[in-house]
Amino acid sequence: MRVAIDTQPGGAGPNEDWVAGTPTLAIVLDGLSTAGLDTGCRHGVPWYVAHLGGQLVAALADPGSTLTAGLASALERVAALHPECDLANPGTPSATVAVLRQREGFFDHLVLADSPIVLEGHERFTVITDLRVEDVLPDLKAEVEQYETHTTEHKAALKRFVTAQRQTRNMPNGYWVAASTPEAAEHALVGSIPAEEVSAAAVLSDGVSRLVAEYRMATWHEVFTTLRTGGPQELINSVRKVEATDPTGRRWPRYKSGDDASVAFCQWPKR
Ligand SMILES: [Zn+2]
């Protein structure tokens, strides 16, 4: 398949997303915000997602490996790269994972947390995502969303929310993300779809998918039209233009004015 990628930071800070395309893989990782809290790791989230992504590509080089096994192996390898860090810290660097793999006659997909894979079928779009994160701590989440971004109240509420979230992360009654233990891979949502049922696909971080899901300023049909005509960069630009109309999150309450945004757009020649 042909994969076109782009990723842009949401603000002045470093980009904590990571994206890659190979002839058979499209991968998006979205590092979770630390909200300035301790992580126990001296490397940081950009380091974590870059190494997890690289290890994931390596682990999936064997087409016989399942996506779940590849993710478990990559998690283990990244943990082994920084044993000197406190990997048991509840704030250890972590990320969402979305992987689409092309193989003989099929596409395999894996999502862990809320970076979606959108499949363009012949008649409709299918969004594959894992929204378990949205079910935890609804009260603290609502508290963050009642303040405009850039206010001290918003920042304080976000710290309370992230602190509490960390206690539910990778716990049986919470939600699962890629972090320091391979066990999380078993909780990823996986599936396969016959290749002839899909005409194109987009793997996205939620910094992009919110254009449709939260902002409701575009349809998936419009998103795929933009991807075909202007490519991933044009799609990210259109998200930024919408966010610029609501810089403090009054209309669309959110954790920050603009989130890191990543796209891997997958097409394949007609046979
Ligand atoms: Zn580290």
Side-chain angles (χ1 to χ4, degrees):
M1 61 183 176
R2 287 197 300 262
V3 187
I5 64 168
D6 195 16
T7 181
Q8 296 294 333
N15 191 347
E16 297 177 338
D17 277 8
W18 188 87
V19 61
T22 79
T24 56
L25 289 173
I27 301 175
V28 166
L29 309 176
D30 177 355
L32 273 65
S33 170
T34 64
L37 297 161
D38 177 49
T39 65
C41 168
R42 68 180 176 84
H43 302 90
V45 175
W47 178 94
Y48 177 76
V49 292
H51 284 79
L52 180 62
Q55 295 296 340
L56 199 48
V57 172
L60 293 173
D62 175 2
S65 174
T66 65
L67 298 185
T68 303
L71 177 57
S73 166
L75 287 166
E76 201 163 14
R77 293 183 202 191
V78 175
L81 293 175
H82 58 153
E84 75 281 15
C85 294
D86 175 15
L87 302 181
N89 186 304
T92 192
S94 54
T96 72
V97 182
V99 183
L100 183 71
R101 174 168 67 178
Q102 185 182 39
R103 66 181 165 90
E104 195 65 34
F106 287 90
F107 289 98
D108 300 327
H109 46 81
L110 175 149
V111 290
L112 183 60
D114 58 358
S115 294
I117 299 173
V118 186
L119 304 174
E120 183 190 57
H122 301 298
E123 283 169 5
R124 63 190 182 92
F125 293 89
T126 304
V127 180
I128 299 164
T129 186
D130 166 15
L131 297 177
R132 285 172 289 187
V133 60
E134 292 191 356
D135 296 336
V136 301
L137 307 166
D139 298 347
L140 286 173
K141 185 170 189 259
E143 199 191 338
V144 178
E145 292 180 345
Q146 72 180 347
Y147 300 113
E148 292 185 39
T149 56
H150 307 305
T151 62
T152 49
E153 291 89 349
H154 182 278
K155 199 175 171 190
L158 186 62
K159 275 194 173 176
R160 282 194 295 278
F161 179 53
V162 172
T163 302
Q165 242 190 352
R166 287 176 169 187
Q167 303 304 321
T168 69
R169 199 174 283 167
N170 290 0
M171 294 288 176
N173 58 348
Y175 67 102
W176 293 83
V177 292
S180 58
T181 54
E183 186 193 354
E186 293 164 25
H187 297 272
L189 308 182
V190 293
S192 296
I193 185 166
E196 69 264 19
E197 292 180 19
V198 188
S199 48
V203 185
L204 307 168
S205 64
D206 70 337
V208 175
S209 62
R210 65 185 52 180
L211 182 68
V212 178
E214 275 101 38
Y215 304 161
R216 298 184 183 276
M217 294 298 282
T219 62
W220 288 120
H221 181 77
E222 288 165 342
V223 163
F224 276 69
T225 300
T226 301
L227 286 170
R228 284 198 168 87
T229 55
Q233 188 184 0
E234 178 83 16
L235 178 60
I236 293 173
N237 288 346
S238 69
V239 177
R240 297 294 181 238
K241 276 181 201 152
V242 166
E243 287 168 342
T245 67
D246 178 44
T248 62
R250 193 182 292 231
R251 179 172 177 188
W252 299 295
R254 50 197 194 265
Y255 302 149
K256 42 192 163 179
S257 180
D259 195 4
D260 302 339
S262 300
V263 178
F265 178 48
C266 313
Q267 295 178 281
W268 32 92
K270 290 238 176 353
R271 289 163 201 274

